[in-house]
Amino acid sequence: MNLSSNWIDYELIDCSNGEKLERWGNYYLLRPDPQIIWNNGNLLDKYHDKITAIYYRSNKGGGHWENLKSIPNSWNIKYKNLTFNIKQMGFKHTGLFPEQATNWDYMISKIKNSNRNIKVLNLFAYTGGATIACMSAGAHVTHVDSSRGMVDWCKENVSSSNLDTTKVRYIVDDVVKFVQREIRRGNKYDAIIMDPPSYGRGSNGEVWDIEKNLNYLVNLCSEILSDNPLFFLINSYTTGLSSVVLSNILKTTINKKYSGKISCGEIGLPITNSDLVLPCGIYGKWESNE
């Protein structure tokens, strides 16, 4: 498992009985997580004086935040030289998945060590963690997401990280339709990143189903890779989907056209003062041999 263990502004403090306590800068959030089925005590009792806010799930779906202490509408945390704007969103999220830092480190290293200009396509790009990581390494990034709100949030993160705004192109669009147009335009990319949801809808109501559509999308993307691609990274949080499935997709698509190496596995977060680890997702990765 690849662990994101180089954080200073973020910390996974404790996990127990479906809940996790995290420090986001100076604020402590208690949020649900279905993977935490072990018992390490009642976190609300253990850390009541420390907790800033709690997210409660509703039996009808969704849920709400209860703020126990004063908390701003938005605040910043840093990962190395990257700055992220954190907010309390509906359905428990904060706009950032800190376990992705291990992928950011990989992308930054790969781009810097290539010693050439790299064009990156980031699909299902959310608030732009991977976008600003690649930009910080000198790449030009095309950031695509069907949600205008998420794209605007990425703009905030780019600005907060003091990155060159001429190095990013923002696209609000359905991912599949965008890639199909890029094929017709003849545009090419040296690296492609995608973080597809299990299920979703595009900007005009297009339906996305990872089991039905992922292999097709990766095939499409193989047509817009440059002659000398650097990497192709798929990240997923879909329950029950094995990382080996992502590897198999890459082997039967990208690796048929380009020689390189494929790896897959889990990403996770270490739990403070513990030998426990919280698994947080899977990845499949094709990369060049350079």
Side-chain angles (χ1 to χ4, degrees):
M1 179 181 288
N2 294 343
L3 297 181
S4 296
S5 54
N6 295 319
W7 279 97
I8 295 175
D9 283 358
Y10 170 85
E11 181 182 8
L12 179 56
I13 296 172
D14 205 348
C15 298
S16 181
N17 291 327
E19 294 182 312
K20 57 186 176 183
L21 178 65
E22 305 159 291
R23 178 179 61 82
W24 298 81
N26 295 323
Y27 304 100
Y28 294 80
L29 307 183
L30 185 65
R31 300 192 290 162
D33 190 307
Q35 296 231 64
I36 304 168
I37 62 174
W38 60 90
N39 185 350
N40 194 29
N42 186 297
L43 299 188
L44 182 57
D45 290 342
K46 289 169 69 174
Y47 302 100
H48 186 270
D49 292 340
K50 182 171 286 189
I51 296 171
T52 308
I54 305 172
Y55 185 88
Y56 291 102
R57 277 204 170 136
S58 167
N59 293 330
K60 299 178 181 179
H64 70 279
W65 288 96
E66 179 186 357
N67 294 335
L68 304 182
K69 299 178 182 179
S70 177
I71 187 169
N73 291 328
S74 176
W75 68 97
N76 289 341
I77 68 169
K78 295 182 72 69
Y79 180 76
K80 299 180 178 179
N81 63 327
L82 310 178
T83 301
F84 303 96
N85 293 301
I86 304 302
K87 306 171 188 179
Q88 290 173 289
M89 298 173 63
F91 200 67
K92 78 178 181 179
H93 295 307
T94 62
L96 187 69
F97 293 89
E99 63 272 12
Q100 288 296 324
T102 181
N103 285 332
W104 304 334
D105 288 340
Y106 163 79
M107 298 169 198
I108 291 168
S109 175
K110 195 76 174 175
I111 292 167
K112 285 184 174 180
N113 291 335
S114 71
N115 295 315
R116 55 189 173 99
N117 293 326
I118 298 296
K119 287 179 61 180
V120 175
L121 176 61
N122 188 9
L123 302 174
F124 308 101
Y126 195 51
T127 60
T131 293
I132 68 171
C134 293
M135 289 176 66
S136 75
H140 186 284
V141 183
T142 297
H143 176 104
V144 186
D145 198 279
S146 64
S147 168
R148 183 170 297 279
M150 294 302 102
V151 173
D152 288 343
W153 199 331
C154 177
K155 292 178 182 179
E156 295 177 19
N157 288 334
V158 168
S159 176
S160 295
S161 295
N162 296 314
L163 295 169
D164 183 356
T165 56
T166 66
K167 291 289 191 83
V168 60
R169 180 169 62 132
Y170 301 106
I171 306 291
V172 179
D173 202 354
D174 174 72
V175 161
V176 173
K177 288 187 174 180
F178 174 79
V179 173
Q180 289 170 334
R181 284 199 296 274
E182 291 294 84
I183 292 172
R184 294 194 293 270
R185 293 168 180 147
N187 288 335
K188 301 290 184 179
Y189 298 89
D190 304 297
I192 296 178
I193 307 157
M194 62 174 67
D195 192 351
S198 302
Y199 182 87
R201 290 190 178 274
S203 55
N204 293 309
E206 302 89 347
V207 175
W208 167 267
D209 184 323
I210 194 169
E211 294 181 0
K212 297 177 181 178
N213 302 129
L214 181 57
N215 191 78
Y216 174 69
L217 175 59
V218 175
N219 254 319
L220 286 179
C221 288
S222 70
E223 298 185 44
I224 57 173
L225 283 171
S226 65
D227 292 336
N228 186 23
L230 192 61
F231 63 84
F232 196 118
L233 177 63
I234 307 171
N235 189 80
S236 177
Y237 291 94
T238 299
T239 302
L241 188 66
S242 168
S243 64
V244 176
V245 172
L246 304 183
S247 173
N248 289 344
I249 290 174
L250 292 170
K251 286 178 180 178
T252 55
T253 55
I254 308 303
N255 219 42
K256 281 191 171 182
K257 294 186 176 183
Y258 302 94
S259 62
K261 56 186 178 181
I262 290 176
S263 59
C264 65
E266 292 184 88
I267 59 174
L269 290 164
I271 301 173
T272 300
N273 299 325
S274 168
D275 60 356
L276 302 181
V277 169
L278 178 63
C280 299
I282 59 172
Y283 72 92
K285 178 172 62 186
W286 174 93
E287 60 185 313
S288 67
N289 294 317
E290 67 177 83

